[in-house]
Amino acid sequence: MSSPRRVVVASKNPDKIREVEAVLERTDHPWKIVRGLDWPDVDETEPTLEGNALLKALAVSEATGLAAIGDDTGLEVDALDGRPGVFSARFAGPEASYEQNVDRLLAELEGVSNRSARFRTAIAFVVPGSEPLIVEGVLEGAITEERRGNRGFGYDPVFVVGEHTYAEMSDDEKNKISHRARALRALVAALEDQEG
């Protein structure tokens, strides 16, 4: 068995790090998430998910000297012309909580019948001295009219796929289908292709 690929998740969000680790544990190639390191905050100033993911991965790889996975995720709601998109984490303001972001989303969709939406995750993988690799994962769904379930984080209580919101799914169920899982599987596949 090959030695684990050591990588830093370029995030200070423990929910996101846990989810990345849970998905990578399911892959054939072993990964070792390096924790306990620190780096300066990275302002997400790019207009695209891909740009912000790359910004974070480059900064964290440079600060730590290790490979880094940068991730930026957007919830794209059709009735809102794709918003909140790149501003999903700060939809209700720069320091908004998960609750505040969901409250704003539900308020903007009040009385709207077209509730189709998708989660899109862009992942940038940066290894010092190598070209960055960027992949994405998308999952189509819809926005409920009220919160359902008590698991997950962010918009999970209002993003429904089939019969269930993310927040009604176990971590295992969510990690099999989620946008982030799809992006991470795309990353693993791209790395396997590179390695021949």
Side-chain angles (χ1 to χ4, degrees):
M1 187 174 181
S2 55
S3 60
R5 190 186 307 267
R6 296 179 77 240
V7 64
V8 180
V9 178
S11 176
K12 295 184 178 178
N13 179 332
D15 294 321
K16 187 181 283 192
I17 296 168
R18 237 186 336 271
E19 202 168 276
V20 168
E21 190 167 42
V23 172
L24 290 178
E25 282 175 356
R26 295 171 165 271
T27 65
D28 292 336
H29 192 105
W31 294 75
K32 166 71 177 153
I33 304 296
V34 180
R35 296 176 185 270
L37 303 177
D38 197 27
W39 54 83
D41 287 341
V42 181
D43 290 329
E44 296 180 21
T45 54
E46 292 295 318
T48 64
L49 299 173
E50 294 82 2
N52 283 327
L54 184 58
L55 206 62
K56 291 186 275 190
L58 286 168
V60 171
S61 180
E62 186 176 330
T64 63
L66 296 171
I69 293 176
D71 151 324
D72 200 22
T73 294
L75 176 64
E76 300 172 347
V77 180
D78 292 334
L80 301 180
D81 298 322
R83 290 184 305 123
V86 74
F87 299 105
S88 294
R90 47 199 186 278
F91 192 38
E95 302 298 321
S97 67
Y98 294 151
E99 290 285 313
Q100 291 167 325
N101 286 327
V102 170
D103 286 344
R104 176 169 178 194
L105 178 65
L106 291 176
E108 290 210 18
L109 288 176
E110 192 169 342
V112 175
S113 57
N114 174 15
R115 303 181 80 84
S116 60
R118 73 209 44 81
F119 261 123
R120 195 159 71 85
T121 291
I123 285 181
F125 183 66
V126 171
V127 176
S130 299
E131 281 295 307
L133 182 60
I134 299 176
V135 295
E136 76 166 16
V138 179
L139 184 64
E140 297 287 336
I143 306 301
T144 57
E145 293 186 1
E146 57 188 27
R147 289 172 173 84
R148 288 175 20 202
N150 56 12
R151 295 174 175 269
F153 62 98
Y155 295 94
D156 287 2
V158 294
F159 184 74
V160 66
V161 181
E163 299 292 313
H164 303 288
T165 66
Y166 270 171
E168 293 174 308
M169 299 177 189
S170 69
D171 290 348
D172 201 44
E173 289 169 325
K174 180 185 174 187
N175 289 338
K176 283 180 184 168
I177 66 163
S178 79
H179 51 288
R180 185 167 289 114
R182 289 175 180 212
L184 288 165
R185 284 195 293 269
L187 172 63
V188 170
L191 289 170
E192 286 171 353
D193 283 350
Q194 276 186 354
E195 291 162 3

